[in-house]
Amino acid sequence: MIRQIIRIDEDLCNGCGLCVDACHEAAIGIINGKAKLLRDDYCDGLGNCLPVCPTGAITFEEREALPFNEEEVKKNMMKQKEKESKQEEIQKAPVAMHSCPGSRMMKLNQNASQNTREQEKVSEEGKTSMLGQWPVQIQLVPPNAPYFNQADLLIAADCTAYAYRDVHSFMKNKITLIGCPKLDDVDYSVKLTQILTLNEIKSITILRMEVPCCGGIVNAVKTAFTKSGKMIPWRVITIGTDGTIIEDL
């Protein structure tokens, strides 16, 4: 049938994910850093997503499309809720004392006064780490870890450590979290929301690559801001595949 349905211009889409939250039918998802209409029959054609798009990437069009299927939408939303519930249960579960040693919580470089000029010089030569805690994977950190309180966070895409030579300059005096939104089958916004809700975070720096899939980390932080009800100072630094900083917002 010919009906009104949304159209998403990928060239204009910046992967912010605001349309995902605005869509009541869960018809839109972020795939490889871009908003996508998941299925025609999920879209009711009312366009709640249009006014929230900051780039004007979403418009209406009249075309051949499956009719809106409310029953399929309900099934899809139930699946999404079940998935989110399982993720929350996993992330809320306490770390057992007999768990993998690689997941054991530790605070590193506890004595800030030890960061003398001499040590900083050594750091520039690549001999001293600026890592402030363990673990670093977003999926592994406990959201109520004491090192989060009054912390400045660095949330970095895995690849940035290999693309940017002096990545430790961003890590200094920060709690570092890393992840890959393309390879990790988890919604980072759940853990980040818990961290923001349970702690007084001072600032967030996002270190991402220029590739579209890295937009997932930025979107997760934005979602965490919305769900936690907190808005704190934040910046996004984009690293090019050639290892240069191409954007600092």
Side-chain angles (χ1 to χ4, degrees):
M1 63 179 293
I2 303 294
R3 71 179 184 94
Q4 178 173 278
I5 196 168
I6 65 164
R7 177 181 177 275
I8 302 174
D9 187 332
E10 290 190 15
D11 292 332
L12 294 178
C13 176
N14 64 3
C16 71
L18 294 177
C19 56
V20 176
D21 295 331
C23 180
H24 297 246
E25 291 74 34
I28 304 174
I30 300 295
I31 300 176
N32 293 330
K34 297 288 184 177
K36 302 275 189 182
L37 178 60
L38 301 178
R39 279 177 40 171
D40 287 358
D41 58 345
Y42 288 173
C43 178
D44 60 9
L46 296 180
N48 289 325
C49 52
L50 268 70
V52 301
C53 180
T55 65
I58 307 176
T59 55
F60 282 128
E61 67 176 350
E62 296 275 343
R63 65 171 174 84
E64 183 73 31
L66 292 172
F68 175 62
N69 191 326
E70 188 174 358
E71 289 302 315
E72 287 299 315
V73 168
K74 289 180 180 179
K75 290 179 183 179
N76 179 51
M77 294 183 74
M78 285 296 295
K79 289 180 181 178
Q80 292 293 332
K81 288 181 179 179
E82 289 175 2
K83 183 178 179 181
E84 291 175 3
S85 178
K86 288 179 180 178
Q87 289 174 347
E88 289 179 0
E89 289 176 4
I90 292 172
Q91 294 180 346
K92 286 180 180 178
V95 179
M97 296 300 292
H98 59 273
S99 64
C100 170
S103 302
R104 185 179 59 175
M105 181 177 64
M106 290 183 285
K107 183 175 181 179
L108 310 176
N109 298 329
Q110 294 187 33
N111 190 351
S113 64
Q114 292 180 354
N115 289 329
T116 62
R117 291 182 180 178
E118 182 179 350
Q119 286 177 315
E120 289 178 0
K121 183 178 180 181
V122 171
S123 174
E124 291 174 1
E125 297 172 355
K127 296 180 181 179
T128 299
S129 171
M130 288 290 113
L131 185 63
Q133 94 294 335
W134 189 265
V136 294
Q137 288 284 346
I138 297 174
Q139 296 187 71
L140 297 181
V141 292
N144 59 347
Y147 48 68
F148 279 129
N149 197 38
Q150 296 296 320
D152 294 296
L153 298 188
L154 173 68
I155 303 176
D158 292 350
C159 296
T160 57
Y162 302 95
Y164 190 71
R165 181 178 181 272
D166 193 23
V167 72
H168 281 252
S169 63
F170 296 116
M171 296 165 57
K172 184 179 178 182
N173 298 325
K174 292 183 176 66
I175 296 300
T176 301
L177 305 177
I178 66 171
C180 176
K182 185 172 184 177
L183 299 181
D184 290 341
D185 186 20
V186 66
D187 181 1
Y188 291 144
S189 69
V190 176
K191 176 64 71 67
L192 295 177
T193 298
Q194 293 172 351
I195 292 172
L196 292 181
T197 301
L198 296 174
N199 305 278
E200 292 299 323
I201 302 299
K202 293 163 59 180
S203 70
I204 294 179
T205 299
I206 302 171
L207 193 61
R208 59 161 292 179
M209 296 297 297
E210 64 175 319
V211 295
C213 56
C214 259
I217 283 188
V218 179
N219 182 49
V221 172
K222 290 180 178 179
T223 301
F225 282 150
T226 301
K227 291 184 176 180
S228 68
K230 293 184 178 180
M231 180 56 70
I232 59 179
W234 68 303
R235 64 191 283 216
V236 180
I237 301 170
T238 303
I239 307 297
T241 52
D242 61 353
T244 60
I245 297 176
I246 62 176
E247 193 171 57
D248 187 346
L249 300 175

